[in-house]
Amino acid sequence: MSTIKWLGEDIKGYRPDWTDDQCDYVMDEIGTVLSELSIEYGHEILEQLISAFERDAEDDWWDAIK
């Protein structure tokens, strides 16, 4: 299982001139939408990664983990 945790400090990389309090405030304001979009786009990314794995994996990978 993977978990994504977004923090105010993640905003700091995009807005280094903002204070920590400003970054935390903005993250609090956009956090719900960010989570929803992460899930939506995450499903698309997951599907692409699974397809790439299947394409690149050895033919016997499935049998090896049964």
Side-chain angles (χ1 to χ4, degrees):
M1 173 182 266
S2 296
T3 302
I4 299 172
K5 181 171 175 110
W6 295 101
L7 303 171
E9 62 193 50
D10 294 310
I11 292 176
K12 193 76 164 173
Y14 295 97
R15 298 294 185 273
D17 55 322
W18 288 10
T19 66
D20 291 343
D21 287 340
Q22 289 171 316
C23 293
D24 290 339
Y25 177 81
V26 171
M27 185 57 73
D28 287 344
E29 292 295 311
I30 67 171
T32 299
V33 174
L34 179 59
S35 293
E36 291 169 357
L37 289 172
S38 295
I39 291 167
E40 180 181 334
Y41 289 110
H43 286 134
E44 292 177 29
I45 293 167
L46 181 59
E47 184 177 0
Q48 291 177 12
L49 290 172
I50 291 169
S51 293
F53 174 82
E54 289 175 323
R55 183 178 57 248
D56 298 338
E58 299 292 328
D59 291 336
D60 62 347
W61 70 272
W62 190 254
D63 292 332
I65 61 171
K66 284 185 179 178

